[in-house]
């Protein structure tokens, strides 16, 4: 079952890259916030249908949980807006790897300290190595995606 969850997470990541590329194009044509609004509107509609048809009954409602847990819904907005802006300027690959770098770094902090009610998973040298490797990957992907004219130093004004 763990292997299936990892595969599903990889597929989820792949769909985020596709979404970022499409939203970057859409945002450049109709505007960043309209693109983000479309994403959340369609997402809300699809999720509402999934809840209606497939969500089992729960003893606890959204109004019963600790209020800080509702803040998680707010974190999708900056992600979508930032990705629509970033993909237009730095490309899908660099933006996606940068997001993954941020996700990995923050998730390791959450794991290590057991923040937000999660079980503590201690930081290790292998985890540090993973972050360093991803940082190096980000550097190389960014460096290789720059065009020759952007690699040259800007002309000095005289």
């Amino acid at each position: 079952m763990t292997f299936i969850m990892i595969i599903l997470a990889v597929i989820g990541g792949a769909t985020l890259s596709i979404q970022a590329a499409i939203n970057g194009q859409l945002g450049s044509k109709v505007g960043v916030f309209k693109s983000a609004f479309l994403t959340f509107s369609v997402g809300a509609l699809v999720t509402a249908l999934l809840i209606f048809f497939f969500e089992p009954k729960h003893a606890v409602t959204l109004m019963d949980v600790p209020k800080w847990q509702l803040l998680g819904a707010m974190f999708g907005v900056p992600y979508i807006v930032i990705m629509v802006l970033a993909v237009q300027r730095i490309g899908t690959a660099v933006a996606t790897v940068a997001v993954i770098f941020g996700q990995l770094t923050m998730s390791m902090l959450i794991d290590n300290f057991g923040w937000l009610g999660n079980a503590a998973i201690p930081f290790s040298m292998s985890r540090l190595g993973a972050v360093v490797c991803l940082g190096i990957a980000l550097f190389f992907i960014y460096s290789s995606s720059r065009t020759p004219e952007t690699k040259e130093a800007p002309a000095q004004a005289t």
Side-chain angles (χ1 to χ4, degrees), residues 73-151:
M74 299 293 290
F75 287 93
V77 175
Y79 167 76
I80 293 294
V81 171
I82 289 167
M83 287 303 284
V84 171
L85 287 169
V87 165
Q88 295 174 37
R89 289 163 180 78
I90 61 175
T92 306
V94 175
T96 301
V97 174
V99 163
I100 294 168
F101 184 80
Q103 286 178 317
L104 183 61
T105 303
M106 181 53 72
S107 63
M108 283 195 216
L109 288 170
I110 292 168
D111 279 354
N112 185 66
F113 295 107
W115 290 341
L116 307 171
N118 290 281
I121 300 172
F123 190 75
S124 66
M125 292 308 290
S126 62
R127 285 178 167 231
L128 175 62
V131 171
V132 169
C133 287
L134 191 55
I136 292 168
L138 176 58
F139 171 77
F140 282 122
I141 291 170
Y142 172 71
S143 296
S144 68
S145 68
R146 296 173 63 199
T147 59
E149 59 271 5
T150 61
K151 289 182 181 178

Side-chain angles (χ1 to χ4, degrees), residues 10-30:
V10 169
I11 292 168
T15 61
L16 284 178
S17 295
I18 295 167
Q19 178 193 35
I22 292 170
N23 281 354
Q25 290 295 312
L26 180 64
S28 69
K29 291 177 179 59
V30 302

Side-chain angles (χ1 to χ4, degrees), residues 37-54:
F37 178 77
L38 178 66
T39 297
F40 286 107
S41 299
V42 171
L45 176 62
V46 170
T47 305
L49 291 171
L50 290 172
I51 290 168
F52 182 75
F53 288 108
F54 299 107

